[in-house]
Amino acid sequence: MKIAVVGTGYVGLVSGTCFAEWGHEVICVDKNAEKIAGLLKGRLPIYEPDLDEMVARNQAAGRLAFTCDLAAAVANAQVVFIAVGTPSRPGQGDADLSFVYMAAREMAPFLAEGAVVAVKSTVPVSTGDAVEKIIAHARPYGSFSVASNPEFLREGAAIGDFLKPDRVVVGVEDGRARAVMAALYQEALGETPLVFTDRRTSELIKYAANAFLATKITFINELADLCEKVDCNVGELALGIGLDRRIGTSFLNAGPGYGGSCFPKDTLALLRTAQDYGVVLRIVEETIVANEARKRKMALKVIEAVGGDVEGLTIAVLGLTFKPDTDDMREAPSVPLIETLQRYGAVVRAYDPVGLQNAARLLEDVTLLDDPYECARNSDAVVVLTEWDSIRRIDLGRLRRLVRTPVLVDLRNALEPGAASAAGFHVSVVGQRSEHAEWANPTTDEPDFEKTASGLPRMVRGK
Ligand code: NAD
């Protein structure tokens, strides 16, 4: 099948490459000329394990091409995927659909007869209807279909998720689109469920899935707080509940709150849709507020670990990206955590194996280093924020010899607490009573967040 993918970011590049891997003829389009020029020279715009090798292989086989020329790319395509960004509109919370609508407007005059335009971007209910109107306006006598095909891949495990998904969801409004999308996926996926729905339900499925997972993370984070107070172990608790198949073990790792390019913006957009239709989604609302509060609360945990005052102290942060195996810094908990520590007077040094370039655009006055030991040198506390393998495997003895004060705050429970203690660190973890709890002087237990009249959370800055 001939496929065009519009938007060559985390989703578009992975999807296009995987479709090519399945034997389809794929052309990926992007407005960003620098990105396309890099890809043509074999330089990937994102970090995703094993993607470079797969891109190169499919390029060499002539199944995968890159271009800025949208008209040429869509002219012969039987399926055109829209995989452009749908970021949160600042201060509003709803999804900014301007990139989706612009892509639809720009491709409309050049689409092949009978083409299926499949929206892979995460978009609110009824966006497919709007895309259909935009295209119909430009080609009133042309035949085409608009389908919804939300993407569920996770950064860091994107290739595996795409090639072997739990399910594929496709929303269609006509038989031709259904037949084309079935032909595209069925042969490659074998027994994997292909869930066909109407277009609107498919659009909502993506938001419902992300809101549910965000809620699961927030649930275990709140129980982690209780574990710390009542001297229980949240890791054991998560296993104890997660092995119940009705619950499941994934997304039950207590930590500094969810971040990334999807959960924060998608929960907000879902809430905004519900508000527009006069529906109360109280659980989603509380999840958003609790998660925002948690990021700041984690900074207070670090401050407690050093004795209640971080003014003038040097804090070494290990890991900046929102999770390991990606260079994505969008909504990473490291940013609000570092900013809060800085507001309280800390000097921050930070290490990340691949995220430094993106981090440099978001962080100010932070010394960024590509070596974890150099980062920890002469620090007053080491904070583990992303569970990269290089951090999990860190030599704790060497780390101990480099720091000024042996305080370790592990916000991902990534290190073996016994080993860190044995190396001479005072260790704070998430969801277990910490050595510091007795002598620390908590600044405040209550995070400074409030709900605005619109129901969206707003941070009330303390200092
Ligand atoms: P991204 O920002 O990495 O990539 C989007 C790309 O689209 C950019 O390269 C941009 O230059 C390009 N673009 C924008 N307008 C264009 C146009 N008119 N023509 C051509 N190219 C254009 O975004 P992403 O992370 O890949 O996310 C894309 C969508 O997929 C979003 O809706 C997101 O919510 C959803 N999604 C993302 C993930 C993820 O893990 N990143 C997972 C599932 C779904």
Side-chain angles (χ1 to χ4, degrees), residues 4 7 21 51 61 104 114 147 188 205 225 283 299 304 311-312 343 370 374-375 395 408 411 429:
E21 184 75 7
L51 186 60
I205 284 172
D225 288 349
I283 291 174
E304 281 177 27
E311 176 100 50
R343 265 202 311 283
D370 60 6
E374 204 43 50
C375 177
D395 179 340
L408 183 85
L411 297 179
V429 294

Side-chain angles (χ1 to χ4, degrees), residues 220-230 234 294 297-298 430-431:
I220 201 67
N221 282 342
E222 291 199 327
L223 278 172
D225 288 349
L226 181 60
C227 284
E228 287 175 20
K229 297 286 182 210
V230 297
V234 77
R294 185 157 191 87
K297 191 170 182 154
M298 290 300 103
V430 174

Side-chain angles (χ1 to χ4, degrees), residues 68-403:
C68 288
D69 186 347
L70 179 70
V74 304
N76 295 311
Q78 293 154 277
V79 186
V80 179
F81 284 96
I82 297 182
V84 300
T86 50
S88 244
R89 283 207 299 140
Q92 306 295 315
D94 56 337
D96 177 353
L97 296 173
S98 57
F99 300 104
V100 173
Y101 293 154
M102 189 185 292
R105 222 171 281 125
E106 288 172 348
M107 74 174 68
F110 308 103
L111 287 172
E113 271 304 290
V116 175
V117 176
V119 181
K120 224 177 216 324
S121 301
T122 302
V123 293
V125 169
S126 83
T127 303
D129 304 351
V131 167
E132 194 172 73
K133 272 198 195 116
I134 289 170
I135 298 174
H137 182 74
R139 38 185 307 131
Y141 306 110
S143 81
F144 69 93
S145 304
V146 175
S148 158
N149 178 212
E151 184 49 59
F152 298 96
L153 62 76
R154 295 161 300 165
E155 287 173 22
I159 292 176
D161 285 351
F162 195 94
L163 295 177
K164 287 194 187 310
D166 291 336
R167 80 316 201 178
V168 169
V169 174
V170 180
V172 289
E173 295 297 321
D174 62 85
R176 187 186 50 196
R178 184 184 172 123
V180 170
M181 296 302 280
L184 176 62
Y185 280 112
Q186 227 142 37
E187 196 187 326
L189 291 180
E191 298 297 298
T192 303
L194 189 48
V195 181
F196 277 105
T197 72
D198 61 88
R199 205 164 51 203
R200 288 176 162 236
T201 303
S202 167
E203 290 168 338
L204 191 55
I205 284 172
K206 173 65 191 178
Y207 283 103
N210 275 0
F212 191 87
L213 295 172
T215 303
K216 206 172 170 190
I217 293 171
T218 306
F219 175 81
I220 201 67
N221 282 342
E222 291 199 327
L223 278 172
D225 288 349
L226 181 60
C227 284
E228 287 175 20
K229 297 286 182 210
V230 297
D231 207 3
C232 293
N233 180 318
V234 77
E236 292 170 7
L237 179 131
L239 188 66
I241 62 171
L243 288 175
D244 182 332
R245 268 175 294 176
R246 293 169 302 176
I247 297 173
T249 48
S250 56
F251 287 82
L252 283 182
N253 296 323
Y258 60 77
S261 66
C262 292
F263 289 179
K265 83 172 173 64
D266 292 347
T267 45
L268 278 173
L270 178 61
L271 195 56
R272 180 57 81 199
T273 300
Q275 285 168 350
D276 287 348
Y277 287 88
V279 174
V280 178
L281 293 184
R282 196 154 288 138
I283 291 174
V284 179
E285 204 173 302
E286 293 304 333
T287 294
I288 293 168
V289 173
N291 192 65
E292 281 306 307
R294 185 157 191 87
K295 295 177 194 167
R296 187 170 135 83
K297 191 170 182 154
M298 290 300 103
L300 300 181
K301 191 175 174 72
V302 174
I303 295 170
E304 281 177 27
V306 296
D309 186 4
V310 81
E311 176 100 50
L313 298 188
T314 298
I315 308 296
V317 173
L318 301 186
L320 291 169
T321 52
F322 84 96
K323 66 174 177 179
D325 292 326
T326 180
D327 59 347
D328 202 342
M329 281 293 299
R330 289 177 282 186
E331 299 291 329
S334 59
V335 176
L337 180 125
I338 287 172
E339 286 173 352
T340 307
L341 290 175
Q342 287 175 322
R343 265 202 311 283
Y344 281 96
V347 174
V348 179
R349 297 159 67 80
Y351 155 79
D352 195 277
V354 304
L356 294 183
Q357 211 178 335
N358 288 336
R361 295 191 198 108
L362 298 172
L363 295 168
E364 274 176 40
D365 298 326
V366 177
T367 306
L368 298 172
L369 297 146
D370 60 6
D371 181 288
Y373 301 100
E374 204 43 50
C375 177
R377 188 183 291 280
N378 295 328
S379 65
D380 297 291
V382 174
V383 180
V384 172
L385 208 43
T386 314
E387 64 277 37
W388 285 97
D389 269 352
S390 58
I391 295 170
R392 282 187 187 280
R393 292 196 310 258
I394 204 153
D395 179 340
L396 289 161
R398 183 174 165 201
L399 201 68
R400 168 67 189 91
R401 289 191 293 280
L402 288 167
V403 298

Side-chain angles (χ1 to χ4, degrees), residues 1-3 19-26 63-64 183-184:
M1 208 174 271
K2 285 186 165 44
I3 295 173
F19 282 132
E21 184 75 7
W22 282 342
H24 299 293
E25 202 178 305
V26 181
R63 290 189 299 260
L64 181 62
L184 176 62

